[in-house]
Amino acid sequence: RPLWAALAAALVVAAGVGAWFALPVNTVTVSGNARLSEARVRALAGLEGHFGWLYYGGWRARGLLESPWVQSAVVTRTFPDRVSIAVTERTPRARWQRRSGEVVALAADGTVLPAATGTAQLPLIRGWGPDRVPEALHLLDTLARYTVQSVTYTPSGVSVKLKTGSVWSGDLRALVKYAGSISMYPDRDIFIYPWGVSVQE
């Protein structure tokens, strides 16, 4: 019995080694990448070096979701030697000035995007007190039809600087409710309260 067990183990090992060499990954296709290079996507997906097609799986591709630039990824194996990677990248939505003064790019979900370029025209979020960055990002979506240049938050409220004029509110729900006032008074400084709107002449 020990001899048979040893032979069986040897056969299993031989089959595994044979599959490794007989079915290598020969073709890798990458799609959906704009900021990340194809080589970087392959590296994040663990597709560097030589290994068997049968042994490639999610455990090797987990580096994709560890990258802040990758929002989602679909990795597909096609018999006998093909792997395709379709990525959906995050894109810069705003700039955020940290308390240290450093300015970084943010995606719409608040993820910091390192080494982002071409973001100088994006709205700038800054402020002090409790973190209100998620609220500021939501506000950018709410006011997407206006040219928002910056959002400044404090414990008492949020100020939005537009191309012409500005909006301040101590209550974000009120700001969203009365956001239509911006188009009514496009060149004015508007103050929005839970009970109504004040326009500075």
Side-chain angles (χ1 to χ4, degrees):
R1 286 185 180 179
L3 178 59
W4 285 110
L7 287 173
L11 286 173
V12 169
V13 171
V17 172
W20 183 279
F21 289 102
L23 295 173
V25 174
N26 288 321
T27 304
V28 178
T29 57
V30 176
S31 61
N33 58 309
R35 298 268 181 169
L36 296 174
S37 67
E38 181 174 331
R40 182 58 181 155
V41 173
R42 290 171 63 116
L44 290 170
L47 284 164
E48 291 183 322
H50 302 284
F51 50 89
W53 177 87
L54 287 174
Y55 301 95
Y56 183 77
W59 63 277
R60 290 193 68 94
R62 65 182 179 273
L64 284 168
L65 298 184
E66 293 173 358
S67 169
W69 283 99
V70 179
Q71 181 175 332
S72 63
V74 176
V75 180
T76 306
R77 293 188 310 167
T78 304
F79 183 83
D81 63 354
R82 180 183 296 272
V83 174
S84 62
I85 308 166
V87 298
T88 300
E89 292 183 341
R90 291 183 174 92
T91 57
R93 178 66 182 89
R95 295 172 296 142
W96 172 40
Q97 184 174 8
R98 291 172 160 163
R99 293 181 183 180
S100 64
E102 177 190 16
V103 177
V104 296
L106 292 180
D109 62 1
T111 301
V112 175
L113 302 175
T117 58
T119 61
Q121 300 303 314
L122 293 178
L124 177 65
I125 297 173
R126 59 189 168 191
W128 60 276
D131 180 21
R132 304 187 77 173
V133 171
E135 294 172 282
L137 287 167
H138 176 67
L139 195 56
L140 288 178
D141 289 337
T142 302
L143 304 179
R145 62 185 174 136
Y146 305 103
T147 307
V148 176
Q149 295 186 336
S150 68
V151 177
T152 303
Y153 61 87
T154 68
S156 62
V158 175
S159 178
V160 180
K161 187 178 186 318
L162 307 171
K163 186 175 181 180
T164 57
S166 66
V167 182
W168 177 91
S169 180
D171 185 296
L172 286 179
R173 286 175 295 184
L175 197 158
V176 172
K177 180 179 179 180
Y178 295 109
S181 302
I182 298 172
S183 57
M184 294 173 61
Y185 307 99
D187 302 323
R188 306 290 179 84
D189 294 326
I190 304 170
F191 298 84
I192 298 178
Y193 304 96
W195 57 86
V197 178
S198 171
V199 180
Q200 183 174 321
E201 296 293 339

